[in-house]
Amino acid sequence: MMETVLRGPSSEVRIGPGLPTVIIGERINPTGRKAFSAELQAGDLSRVARDAVAQAETGAVVLDVNVGAAGVDEVALLPRAVELVQQTVDLPVSIDSANPAALRAALAVARGRALVNSVNGETAKLEAVLPVVAEYGAAVIALCMDDSGIPATAEQRLGVAEAILEAAARYGIGPEDVLLDPLVMSVGADHTSGAVTLQTAHLIRERLGCNMTAGASNASHGMPERDLLNTVWLALLIQAGVNAPICNPLKNGLAVRAVDLMLGYDEWGMAYIRAYRAVQKASAG
Amino acid sequence: MMETVLRGPSSEVRIGPGLPTVIIGERINPTGRKAFSAELQAGDLSRVARDAVAQAETGAVVLDVNVGAAGVDEVALLPRAVELVQQTVDLPVSIDSANPAALRAALAVARGRALVNSVNGETAKLEAVLPVVAEYGAAVIALCMDDSGIPATAEQRLGVAEAILEAAARYGIGPEDVLLDPLVMSVGADHTSGAVTLQTAHLIRERLGCNMTAGASNASHGMPERDLLNTVWLALLIQAGVNAPICNPLKNGLAVRAVDLMLGYDEWGMAYIRAYRAVQKASAG
């Protein structure tokens, strides 16, 4: 069984088939958050600590950290944000940047064993990011797209995944340390896109055995009742083999625990009940 | 591809892999409904017509009809209820009784092509119900349990399903007219029971190719946030191959359409949008 092991300052998170689903909390990211973007531009990281606590309380066990707003010097700010997150909560971080120098600077200060978000099959991207991942002994998220763009079919995405794993191996990074992302597109734009994502996940699980991540919310873009669609989508993704989804635990944390309960990953339903109480407490507070 | 075809007075419903999920509406059933039970005991069927309309408006395309309350003469009342349902809505019925004489009486008045709910692998049950199903050219729901009770493992449930299909074949009923039920138990009582159900569904889909039904709500019995659990459970069931779940469309109809949208069974999301509007209208009215 292929296990991806991540570590915080003194905690360990294991991702693997048959293990409880790992929530990677997505909130520490200025995309679409105006106030947070402005704070980051002013060097104010106070919201980062609050977001870290709120996500940890609602079930995230890995925290994505992204400070990529316009006008922000990520090389300076990303390591500060990573340090602050790990001073606040004892969790592994997913270091999220398109800037290899910022990734390197953040990996240098990250405690434990981090995840890097992300590479894809583009040659330039692989050559820029994989050496950094290897140097720091990190794990890495890999999107199933390449220099030709986003493949239309599941078989083609599998081909990209295989090429990425080969490239990773050349840098000494094993398949257990590559979290593949089967790519989630909007079903509103193309009603077959959910099926292609799920089919890609099935193929990756069967043929490569790798652990997987995916975004929970892109698929429902532009449709009504997005919470319902995201809940359903998480269930389908997890059953298809995506065992470390990136989502907002304040919104989707209980749904992930519900899926694990129904799939038999939650002995006595203890994790579900705990998550239910955390949600009750959060909405009361 | 194995297709189950049901008919109403002038409508047709097809159940098959790759086709939109068929909702069998469960509401016309006195179990746990005190007022409805009392009405049935008094021969009052007014609620039956209201429940038929409400379920048709929220996405049911087959209606289960069960009048089995204490003190009710099902042989007299079940055909009346079936006739009333089909005078009210143009849909196929699922005739739901443990009494073979009542099934026969209801089948005699049902218009189109009905579903019989249900047989299981018990010898006495098969011998009592299958001849009636065959005589009226109906389809039948078959629960994967037999004289030894409910099998603990998916492989054993598959074995019961195979035995039922063999028995049905002896009466001239083909596998396309047997809707198998992989059996849903409470995850609160046994946290592995959801996984056994889903594994049974996978095996049935792979090895027998039959269409399947299942109850949407038993699994969440005794747990908090049952609506969330039922939504997640429907998604997992449908992805595993259950293409005609029995549920309450007033509660779960939109969730089923959400699953179909994410699985690519809903071109342009038209059915999902229609269901969304129906729910909005129902909650406004």
Side-chain angles (χ1 to χ4, degrees):
Chain A
M1 196 177 79
M2 221 178 268
E3 263 189 30
T4 309
V5 180
L6 304 175
R7 293 196 189 86
S10 68
S11 63
E12 183 173 280
V13 170
R14 294 187 307 146
I15 304 167
L19 295 178
T21 301
V22 164
I23 296 176
I24 303 176
E26 73 182 7
R27 284 293 283 165
I28 303 176
N29 189 324
T31 308
R33 301 177 79 187
K34 235 177 179 176
F36 189 29
S37 299
E39 289 164 10
L40 291 176
Q41 283 151 1
D44 170 8
L45 291 175
S46 55
R47 194 183 297 263
V48 168
R50 290 200 303 276
D51 279 350
V53 170
Q55 292 184 99
E57 282 175 351
T58 49
V61 293
V62 179
L63 295 183
D64 196 73
V65 183
N66 182 319
V67 295
V72 165
D73 175 5
E74 287 188 66
V75 181
L77 202 61
L78 190 56
R80 276 184 55 207
V82 163
E83 282 188 310
L84 178 57
V85 165
Q86 292 195 315
Q87 282 157 10
T88 310
V89 294
D90 180 9
L91 294 180
V93 284
S94 163
I95 302 174
D96 187 356
S97 173
N99 179 338
L103 291 177
R104 183 182 292 275
L107 281 163
V109 301
R111 296 175 63 194
R113 183 158 203 257
L115 184 63
V116 168
N117 187 4
S118 61
V119 292
N120 58 41
E122 294 168 12
T123 309
K125 194 85 177 172
L126 290 168
E127 287 175 358
V129 174
L130 290 180
V132 186
V133 172
E135 181 183 340
Y136 287 93
V140 64
I141 291 175
L143 281 60
C144 294
M145 54 181 285
D146 63 10
D147 293 300
S148 315
I150 295 175
T153 72
E155 286 286 352
Q156 289 167 330
R157 291 187 196 177
L158 180 74
V160 172
E162 288 169 333
I164 293 170
L165 291 182
E166 281 167 28
R170 287 196 292 274
Y171 290 94
I173 302 164
E176 70 280 5
D177 285 326
V178 180
L179 273 189
L180 291 168
D181 182 333
L183 293 182
V184 174
M185 317 299 293
S186 158
V187 293
D190 174 0
H191 75 277
T192 67
S193 70
V196 173
T197 302
L198 295 170
Q199 179 61 12
T200 304
H202 281 296
L203 289 177
I204 288 173
R205 168 64 61 243
E206 268 176 33
R207 308 231 192 123
L208 306 179
C210 285
N211 297 313
M212 279 178 272
T213 186
S217 58
N218 296 358
S220 64
H221 190 76
M223 301 298 285
E225 294 285 348
R226 291 192 66 183
D227 283 349
L228 172 66
L229 289 170
N230 293 345
T231 294
V232 157
W233 182 234
L234 272 165
L236 300 175
L237 283 174
I238 293 170
Q239 187 166 241
V242 173
N243 45 14
I246 299 189
C247 63
N248 179 351
L250 286 79
K251 281 191 178 174
N252 309 121
L254 191 60
V256 172
R257 294 282 75 85
V259 176
D260 272 15
L261 174 63
M262 303 319 270
L263 289 175
Y265 297 158
D266 181 6
E267 203 165 354
W268 309 115
M270 295 301 287
Y272 178 73
I273 300 287
R274 237 184 350 257
Y276 170 67
R277 290 191 182 141
V279 169
Q280 282 194 308
K281 201 177 146 192
S283 46
Chain B
M1 195 177 77
M2 221 178 268
E3 263 190 29
T4 308
V5 179
L6 304 176
R7 293 197 189 85
S10 69
S11 63
E12 183 173 279
V13 170
R14 296 187 304 146
I15 303 166
L19 296 177
T21 301
V22 164
I23 295 176
I24 304 176
E26 73 181 8
R27 284 293 284 164
I28 303 176
N29 189 323
T31 308
R33 301 178 78 188
K34 239 179 176 173
F36 188 29
S37 299
E39 289 164 11
L40 292 175
Q41 283 151 0
D44 171 9
L45 291 175
S46 56
R47 194 183 297 262
V48 168
R50 290 201 303 278
D51 278 350
V53 171
Q55 291 184 100
E57 283 176 349
T58 48
V61 293
V62 179
L63 294 183
D64 196 74
V65 184
N66 183 319
V67 296
V72 165
D73 176 5
E74 287 188 66
V75 179
L77 202 61
L78 191 56
R80 277 184 54 206
V82 163
E83 282 188 309
L84 179 56
V85 165
Q86 291 194 313
Q87 282 157 9
T88 310
V89 294
D90 180 11
L91 294 180
V93 284
S94 163
I95 302 174
D96 186 357
S97 174
N99 179 338
L103 291 176
R104 183 182 292 275
L107 281 163
V109 301
R111 297 174 65 194
R113 182 158 204 256
L115 184 63
V116 168
N117 186 3
S118 60
V119 292
N120 58 42
E122 294 168 10
T123 309
K125 194 86 178 174
L126 291 168
E127 288 175 357
V129 175
L130 290 180
V132 187
V133 172
E135 183 182 340
Y136 287 93
V140 63
I141 290 173
L143 281 59
C144 294
M145 55 181 285
D146 64 10
D147 293 298
S148 313
I150 296 174
T153 71
E155 285 285 351
Q156 290 167 331
R157 291 187 196 178
L158 181 74
V160 173
E162 288 169 333
I164 293 171
L165 291 181
E166 282 168 26
R170 289 198 292 273
Y171 290 93
I173 302 164
E176 69 280 6
D177 286 326
V178 181
L179 272 189
L180 292 168
D181 182 333
L183 293 183
V184 175
M185 317 300 292
S186 157
V187 292
D190 174 2
H191 75 276
T192 67
S193 70
V196 173
T197 302
L198 295 169
Q199 179 61 11
T200 304
H202 280 295
L203 289 176
I204 288 173
R205 169 64 61 245
E206 267 175 32
R207 309 233 191 120
L208 307 178
C210 285
N211 296 313
M212 280 178 271
T213 186
S217 58
N218 297 358
S220 64
H221 190 76
M223 301 297 285
E225 294 285 347
R226 291 191 67 184
D227 283 351
L228 171 66
L229 288 170
N230 293 344
T231 294
V232 158
W233 182 233
L234 273 165
L236 299 175
L237 283 173
I238 293 170
Q239 190 173 32
V242 172
N243 44 14
I246 300 188
C247 64
N248 180 351
L250 286 80
K251 282 190 178 173
N252 309 121
L254 191 60
V256 172
R257 294 282 74 84
V259 177
D260 273 16
L261 173 63
M262 303 320 269
L263 289 175
Y265 296 158
D266 182 5
E267 204 165 351
W268 307 116
M270 295 301 286
Y272 178 74
I273 300 287
R274 239 184 350 259
Y276 169 68
R277 289 188 181 143
V279 168
Q280 282 194 307
K281 199 177 148 194
S283 46

